[in-house]
């Protein structure tokens, strides 16, 4: 069984690794993808990797909801995974909304100034 310090260490390692993976992905793709698409993918990745959920009833510790949903879905079916899929759906929707907001505010295309024709 996990002690409190080993549980916290595992959470810190998982969170740090997920953040590093997202930052590295964004850094590698910054020149290939437009900023709006990159924001959408990174925010969705953060939502899927960072959303917590309880593994089952009566448990005091939390785990990543994607892992909990995957195990519950493949072992006990969809009804057992609903408690983890619901927060994943909410955070995914929030990530899409924030990415759209960023796309239409900060990452919008600026119109090019009109050039005068040379005589």
């Amino acid at each position: 069984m996990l002690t409190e310090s080993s549980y916290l260490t595992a959470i810190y390692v998982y969170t740090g690794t997920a953040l590093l993976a997202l930052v590295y992905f964004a850094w590698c793709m910054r020149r290939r993808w437009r900023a709006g698409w990159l924001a959408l993918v990174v925010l969705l990745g953060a939502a899927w990797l960072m959303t917590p959920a309880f593994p089952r009833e009566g448990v005091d510790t939390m785990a990543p909801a994607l892992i909990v949903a995957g195990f519950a879905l493949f072992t006990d079916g969809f009804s057992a995974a609903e408690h983890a899929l619901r927060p994943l759906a909410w955070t995914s929707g929030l990530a899409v909304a924030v990415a759209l907001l960023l796309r239409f505010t900060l990452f919008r295309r600026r119109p090019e100034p009109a050039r005068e024709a040379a005589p």
Side-chain angles (χ1 to χ4, degrees):
M1 198 76 191
L2 288 175
T3 64
E4 184 177 351
S5 64
S6 64
Y7 172 72
L8 288 176
T9 302
I11 291 295
Y12 294 150
V13 168
Y14 177 81
T15 305
T17 305
L19 286 174
L20 281 175
L22 289 169
V23 167
Y24 181 69
F25 177 78
W27 183 72
C28 288
M29 293 296 167
R30 72 185 189 281
R31 296 191 190 270
R32 292 181 182 92
W33 290 3
R34 293 183 186 208
W37 286 109
L38 187 60
L40 175 67
V41 171
V42 168
L43 287 172
L44 274 176
W48 293 343
L49 292 174
M50 302 293 189
T51 303
F54 291 108
R56 59 183 176 274
E57 291 183 28
V59 178
D60 294 334
T61 59
M62 298 183 101
L66 188 64
I67 295 171
V68 171
F71 278 117
L73 187 66
F74 291 124
T75 57
D76 296 328
F78 181 77
S79 62
E82 275 186 277
H83 76 282
L85 290 174
R86 201 170 297 121
L88 277 174
W90 278 102
T91 56
S92 296
L94 183 64
V96 169
V98 169
L100 284 173
L101 183 69
L102 286 173
R103 166 67 177 91
F104 291 125
T105 57
L106 296 178
F107 301 141
R108 69 175 188 255
R109 287 190 175 191
R110 310 264 193 268
E112 301 260 342
R115 295 183 183 175
E116 293 184 24

